[in-house]
Amino acid sequence: MAVQEARQGADASARAGVHGGGCTCGDCPHGARTGHRRAVAEFLVKRDGFAAGQGLPAAVAHSASATRQWVSDELTQSAAAVAERGRAEGDAWLALLWRRTACTVWALVVLLLLVQALTAIGAGWTAARAAGLLAALVVAGTLTAASWFHRTRGGVLAPVIGEDNRLSTSRAVAALWVLFVAYAVLVLAGQLAAASAPGERDELIAGLELARGAGVVTVLAVTCAIAVLVRRLVGTRVLGQRLQKVRADRPRAADLLTDDSGRGTFADIQYAVIGAVALVFAAVRLARRPDQLPDLPWGLAAVVLVSAATYVAGKYAEGGRPVVLSVVRAREAGDLDAPIRTGEDIEIRGAGFVPPGADGAARLSRMVVRIGTVHVHVPLVPVAGGFSNPTDGLLTVPVPVDVEPGRVEVRVVTAAGVETNAYVIDVTE
């Protein structure tokens, strides 16, 4: 299905005479998208063909090892083209995202205006409604200006995109609370500017007292601290080789609820959901009492704090360094039991060989096994719908003839650049 869709998209673009796969327009992702789809379609056809034994040259058909190496090299080159097209599409997509985010911000302003107009029927237009609309215009204008200055990095979303080119849950939650508190203060400032009676002005100023907004201030401080702490925690664990991170082609909305491999994680989901629910409650309180900071109950604030602690604990617990548990001689049916010799295959068994998000062919082809002083690139072995080698817990590589007989160390270097522990094996001639 993916191959057919990619082919149909490429053929339709060619018939329409629009941007092709080599389009270099700086503000149009159509050509980059089409080129990426073409490259994906070609790679899938090639991989499935090799898995079925098709397209193999006669020169290497006599040798299983030569065939495997030739297939791996061909797939590696094709995967590199797919990765290059994917990066080009991601950059083009980010360049256009700032317009979409700006349009979304102003659409929310229009929605606020409609809600205020409908609720004003019968009750009349008040200074609080005018202050709320004016504050929304100020916030929207500020976000639009910031979006333009960061137009090549995703616009408004630029501050919440992590170093791995994924949306950060902690930064997104903190950013929403910062925007909400800023909006609430602007609403109070607008009402204070329009107030004429001294008693009314004193009441608005009293609305900013800590006793009334302690819950909101606490949640704001905690979410901002969590965003900074998680960034430091992840960076330290990556540098300490206790966490493997690979860069994504482009950020996606699902990043807020999933890990790097695209699987939903409890820590991220509960933090995003509880943060959103508390924010909705605070927004309702602001709408009902626009003359003061939202008085978030301490019970709800405590729930947010527990959610934040769970999120940090989840971030600290995830990941881990890859490890080699054992190395054995690969044996085919009919072979006699024997020691490991040069020129034969070995199986490296362990865990964490494929980092989350690195299951694509381009990153799998970057895996290396160091046998003594010789670096062996892990060959790609295609099967229908994927690869049988390498996998997260098992690698199969040949022992080169350049390896000196004797006791040698075996180490695996993953696509994230993390090296495993050393495992000593005995190699004979």
Side-chain angles (χ1 to χ4, degrees), residues 334-359:
D335 285 352
L336 299 177
D337 295 331
I340 298 175
R341 296 187 177 94
T342 56
E344 296 181 337
D345 292 342
I346 58 173
E347 290 183 358
I348 304 174
R349 302 171 183 177
F353 296 152
V354 180
D359 52 355

Side-chain angles (χ1 to χ4, degrees), residues 2 11 22 32 55 64 91 96 172 183 206 210 245 267 274 281 307 314 319 323 338 350 377 418:
D11 295 341
D91 293 341
L96 279 185
Y183 174 77
L210 184 59
K245 298 284 285 186
I274 292 179
F281 183 89
S307 175
V323 58
H377 287 271
V418 179

Side-chain angles (χ1 to χ4, degrees), residues 10-404:
D11 295 341
S13 299
R15 288 193 300 269
V18 295
H19 305 274
C23 173
T24 57
C25 294
D27 58 351
C28 176
H30 187 92
R33 185 184 305 117
T34 302
H36 184 222
R37 290 178 178 177
R38 286 178 178 174
V40 170
E42 294 173 358
F43 174 79
L44 294 180
V45 170
K46 183 177 293 186
R47 184 199 64 189
D48 294 342
F50 288 155
Q54 302 171 358
L56 300 177
V60 299
H62 66 282
S63 173
S65 60
T67 300
R68 183 179 60 184
Q69 187 61 48
W70 184 88
V71 168
S72 179
D73 292 342
E74 289 293 316
L75 291 176
T76 299
Q77 294 177 6
S78 182
V82 172
E84 182 180 357
R85 291 294 188 180
R87 287 189 293 268
E89 181 188 8
D91 293 341
W93 184 83
L94 281 177
L96 279 185
L97 185 60
W98 78 273
R99 290 192 180 94
R100 300 173 185 174
T101 53
C103 291
T104 301
V105 168
W106 286 104
L108 293 176
V109 174
V110 174
L111 179 62
L112 176 63
L113 175 60
L114 293 177
V115 172
Q116 288 187 341
L118 292 176
T119 55
I121 298 177
W125 191 265
T126 62
R129 288 188 172 89
L133 182 59
L134 181 60
L137 292 174
V138 173
V139 173
T142 303
L143 291 178
T144 302
S147 179
W148 186 84
F149 282 110
H150 296 86
R151 57 188 180 276
T152 60
R153 294 300 306 159
V156 173
L157 297 181
V160 299
I161 297 177
E163 288 72 16
D164 58 352
N165 208 29
R166 294 180 177 87
L167 291 179
S168 170
T169 305
S170 59
R171 296 186 193 182
V173 172
L176 289 177
W177 277 102
V178 168
L179 289 176
F180 173 74
V181 173
Y183 174 77
V185 173
L186 288 176
V187 170
L188 289 173
Q191 294 180 85
L192 183 62
S196 57
E200 185 179 0
R201 290 196 295 268
D202 293 340
E203 183 179 355
L204 290 172
I205 294 176
L208 290 173
E209 292 181 355
L210 184 59
R212 297 186 178 183
V216 170
V217 173
T218 302
V219 171
L220 174 65
V222 169
T223 54
C224 291
I226 291 298
V228 176
L229 175 62
V230 167
R231 180 180 180 181
R232 175 63 179 174
L233 176 64
V234 172
T236 302
R237 300 193 70 209
V238 169
L239 294 178
Q241 297 188 1
R242 296 187 301 274
L243 179 65
Q244 300 188 78
K245 298 284 285 186
V246 295
R247 183 177 176 84
D249 291 334
R250 66 178 179 89
R252 293 175 172 83
D255 296 338
L256 299 176
L257 306 176
T258 62
D259 57 12
D260 292 353
S261 61
R263 294 188 297 266
T265 56
F266 172 75
D268 293 70
I269 292 175
Q270 61 86 28
Y271 187 51
V273 170
I274 292 179
V277 170
L279 189 62
V280 170
F281 183 89
V284 173
R285 293 294 295 170
L286 178 63
R288 301 295 295 177
R289 295 293 302 272
D291 57 341
Q292 67 178 40
L293 285 176
D295 51 342
L296 197 66
W298 278 111
L300 183 56
V303 171
V304 176
L305 298 184
V306 171
S307 175
T310 304
Y311 176 76
V312 173
K315 286 298 179 182
Y316 184 81
E318 72 178 3
R321 186 168 182 174
V323 58
V324 175
L325 300 177
S326 61
V327 178
V328 299
R329 174 178 176 269
R331 178 181 178 275
E332 297 182 358
D335 285 352
L336 299 177
D337 295 331
I340 298 175
R341 296 187 177 94
T342 56
E344 296 181 337
D345 292 342
I346 58 173
E347 290 183 358
I348 304 174
R349 302 171 183 177
F353 296 152
V354 180
D359 52 355
R363 291 193 170 94
L364 290 178
S365 63
R366 298 176 58 188
M367 297 182 62
V368 176
V369 175
R370 186 155 61 89
I371 306 176
T373 59
V374 181
H375 293 78
V376 183
H377 287 271
V378 180
L380 300 177
V381 180
V383 293
F387 298 93
S388 62
N389 186 65
T391 62
D392 188 67
L394 179 64
L395 306 178
T396 301
V397 295
V399 179
V401 295
D402 295 330
V403 174
E404 295 291 337

